[in-house]
Amino acid sequence: MDQKLDGIYQEVLHRNPGEVEFHQAVLEVFETLGPVMAKYPHFADIKIIQRICEPERQIIFRVPWQDDTGEIHINRAFRVEFNSALGPYKGGLRFHPSVYLGIIKFLGFEQVFKNALTGMPIGGGKGGSDFDPKGKSDSEIMRFCQSLMTELYRHLGEHTDVPAGDIGVGGREIGYMFGQYKRITNRYESGILTGKGLEWGGSLVRTEATGYGAVFFTQEMLKARGDSLEDKKVVVSGSGNVAIYAIEKAHELGAIVIACSDSSGIIVHEKGIDLDTVKRIKEVERRRISAYLEFHKDARYVEGGNIWDIPCDVALPCATQNELNGKDARTLVKNGCIAVAEGANMPTTPEGIQVFQDAKLAYGPGKAANAGGVATSALEMQQNASRDSWSFDYTQVRLQDIMINIHKNCFETAEEFGSPGNYVVGANINGFIRVARAMEAMGLI
Ligand code: NDP
């Protein structure tokens, strides 16, 4: 790494002790910024990088709530408002027991560059709580969401901070939070949250956007190599929002998805995952993926199995951070995998990324490949601002255009900075320069 950048990295480690995921996200960006520092040395003089690594604001608060038996629970919630140089803070809320400040900061940091890459007027932020939604009743989820919003509402606004969903936060949770915001403020402000229901300010395609976008990005990477998704065997980790719609679009484009998973195990179905079954189990019944076997006797379930051991042409990690390590990457390469696109945020470890890059397979990092979700959130904000609602087809075309453009920008930036075909370099540098230029123009902020 460039010596100046290494010095700044040491400072980041020192100022943010124990936040290993945040360190990892920062390191991944720094490792690609050397050529930018050489081309634009004045960015170092005005300490743009140090400023980008320090969130503008971090909010940590208590969320007390009562379960159905009357017992009181106390969770901790976070909102990290990372950077607003390009627009209001934008980024999801995650409910998962693993959530702590380091996870929210890694996600917020990535979000800053991702949002810049979309070319839309959105800054970066992220939030969440260590609340575990698994096994909770609807009314417990509602009470938790209401309690969280009772504090969070004062920090939101269509021109200030606009959260959305992430792991553990879907349409149901967004509904409960929006309802509480409206109740407290006595204002119907559609623009304060995205991922809303279609009847009350949501956008068509938002639910599908991250998964669809990741597959559109895969299609562009393959096109750049004279190939396509037609008849490719695809493996998708996870079976949540991103995974489900990645499977749907992959099937639509002629690929066959043979496996998906949840944190308990994997389902392998060689004739193709039946998406209606997955949607029923996960979106309606909220059960474990193992229930798939009740509907398809010819599928197999491997408790605790590793999805990356299954031979495939294309791998789409769509579950969580660091779910694909160096060993998994070597297995994928050995089995002939030609493309990996990250629907999840930072799912591949640094060692895994190195393996993919050495093997020169098409590797699309999350910052670029999963940006379709936030881009469609920005489209939802546009519709809310103009009190309009667009058709599914029109919105999907907008999403696809955005993904084609992100691919093009990453591809061309990687070439310009001497790393052709390296989408990590392309995404980091393109996003960084957009944010840095805006910050420079606004003076010392
Ligand atoms: P969901 O909660 O809908 O689904 C998450 C899926 O990943 C579930 O199948 C879950 O299994 C699995 N999973 C979660 N944590 C773990 C873990 N620690 N180990 C193994 N499996 C795990 O979340 P999303 O689909 O919304 O998000 C998935 C990823 O995509 C995340 O990295 C998120 O940050 C990223 N992302 C999401 C966007 C969105 O629009 N929703 C936008 C951009 C990125 P189980 O149910 O067993 O926990």
Side-chain angles (χ1 to χ4, degrees):
M1 197 197 307
D2 174 281
Q3 212 180 346
K4 254 192 203 138
L5 286 165
D6 188 49
I8 303 171
Y9 182 61
Q10 296 309 321
E11 223 177 283
V12 168
L13 295 181
H14 180 70
R15 287 172 67 81
N16 305 279
E19 296 174 1
V20 288
E21 296 84 0
F22 178 51
H23 302 162
Q24 183 182 335
V26 170
L27 184 62
E28 192 214 275
V29 171
F30 278 20
E31 279 175 341
T32 58
L33 289 187
V36 184
M37 302 323 282
K39 190 164 177 181
Y40 304 105
H42 70 288
F43 282 157
D45 301 336
I46 56 173
K47 300 208 171 169
I48 285 284
I49 299 185
Q50 289 93 325
R51 283 194 265 154
I52 284 183
C53 291
E54 188 70 22
E56 289 175 15
R57 190 175 301 107
Q58 307 186 54
I59 302 144
I60 304 180
F61 56 101
R62 177 175 71 202
V63 187
W65 59 281
Q66 256 179 320
D67 69 20
D68 290 343
T69 68
E71 189 180 338
I72 290 171
H73 301 266
I74 293 105
N75 284 96
R76 184 175 290 172
F78 307 84
R79 186 71 185 165
V80 174
E81 298 182 332
F82 226 110
N83 195 301
S84 60
L86 294 177
Y89 311 106
K90 186 86 199 83
L93 296 170
R94 174 177 293 193
F95 294 170
H96 194 270
S98 64
V99 164
Y100 77 107
L101 187 59
I103 293 224
I104 300 301
K105 277 166 73 175
F106 117 64
L107 290 163
F109 184 76
E110 291 249 302
Q111 196 84 46
V112 173
F113 303 99
K114 179 191 307 187
N115 293 4
L117 261 181
T118 66
M120 304 176 93
I122 40 179
K126 198 84 190 187
S129 171
D130 56 5
F131 172 74
D132 186 358
K134 267 196 208 108
K136 304 290 189 298
S137 69
D138 268 1
S139 38
E140 288 171 334
I141 298 279
M142 180 183 74
R143 285 196 292 278
F144 176 79
C145 290
Q146 290 178 338
S147 181
L148 182 134
M149 190 49 96
T150 302
E151 169 58 33
L152 188 62
Y153 87 96
R154 69 189 83 244
H155 306 288
L156 306 186
E158 64 173 314
H159 301 297
T160 311
D161 188 350
V162 187
D166 190 79
I167 290 178
V169 178
R172 174 181 59 168
E173 292 74 17
I174 294 289
Y176 292 147
M177 288 190 275
F178 186 75
Q180 184 71 351
Y181 180 93
K182 188 174 75 59
R183 197 171 167 209
I184 295 173
T185 60
N186 194 29
R187 289 173 68 85
Y188 202 109
E189 295 179 272
S190 301
I192 59 106
L193 280 173
T194 58
K196 298 183 293 294
L198 296 177
E199 307 80 5
W200 43 278
S203 171
L204 284 161
V205 192
R206 176 59 190 94
T207 304
E208 295 85 355
T210 309
Y212 277 19
V215 175
F216 287 142
F217 194 87
T218 310
Q219 190 182 31
E220 291 308 300
M221 290 199 298
L222 290 173
K223 217 187 269 175
R225 295 170 172 228
D227 206 340
S228 80
L229 272 164
E230 192 70 39
D231 295 329
K232 296 288 185 296
K233 276 194 175 183
V234 180
V235 157
V236 177
S237 66
S239 49
N241 171 263
V242 179
I244 286 176
Y245 293 97
I247 296 172
E248 185 162 283
K249 187 50 73 179
H251 280 168
E252 267 178 48
L253 295 179
I256 170 162
V257 179
I258 56 168
C260 66
S261 63
D262 63 17
S263 59
S264 308
I266 62 178
I267 284 287
V268 185
H269 200 178
E270 292 291 344
K271 78 173 195 207
I273 293 286
D274 180 54
L275 199 56
D276 287 341
T277 306
V278 178
K279 284 184 179 175
R280 173 178 171 169
I281 295 169
K282 289 292 175 181
E283 293 184 337
V284 182
E285 299 172 357
R286 299 182 189 274
R287 295 164 73 198
R288 311 304 297 156
I289 197 66
S290 54
Y292 188 93
L293 287 191
E294 292 171 20
F295 305 89
H296 302 278
K297 303 288 177 223
D298 54 340
R300 88 192 140 81
Y301 174 69
V302 190
E303 178 89 26
N306 185 349
I307 198 162
W308 313 123
D309 287 342
I310 296 165
C312 62
D313 304 307
V314 174
L316 303 177
C318 294
T320 193
Q321 65 275 355
N322 292 326
E323 54 163 315
L324 196 166
N325 62 25
K327 182 174 151 291
D328 301 328
R330 280 188 287 278
T331 306
L332 284 168
V333 171
K334 183 169 77 56
N335 287 339
C337 179
I338 56 168
V340 177
E342 297 180 337
N345 285 310
M346 210 168 74
T348 312
T349 64
E351 191 194 349
I353 296 174
Q354 196 55 54
V355 171
F356 291 149
Q357 290 184 332
D358 291 346
K360 298 215 175 315
L361 58 68
Y363 166 65
K367 257 182 226 102
N370 71 36
V374 75
T376 309
S377 275
L379 299 180
E380 183 173 330
M381 290 162 74
Q382 285 183 23
Q383 293 168 76
N384 292 156
S386 57
R387 298 187 187 277
D388 198 359
S389 57
W390 306 339
S391 71
F392 191 94
D393 289 348
Y394 175 75
T395 316
Q396 184 174 212
V397 167
R398 295 277 309 256
L399 166 65
Q400 187 167 12
D401 284 349
I402 290 166
M403 296 314 296
I404 291 172
N405 214 27
I406 291 173
H407 176 272
K408 180 170 174 283
N409 286 337
C410 293
F411 192 87
E412 290 177 357
T413 306
E415 287 207 328
E416 183 190 339
F417 284 86
S419 300
N422 187 330
Y423 293 98
V424 178
V425 167
N428 287 345
I429 294 185
N430 192 283
F432 173 81
I433 290 177
R434 285 170 195 259
V435 178
R437 285 201 174 127
M439 288 178 74
E440 184 185 10
M442 291 177 196
L444 187 53
I445 56 165

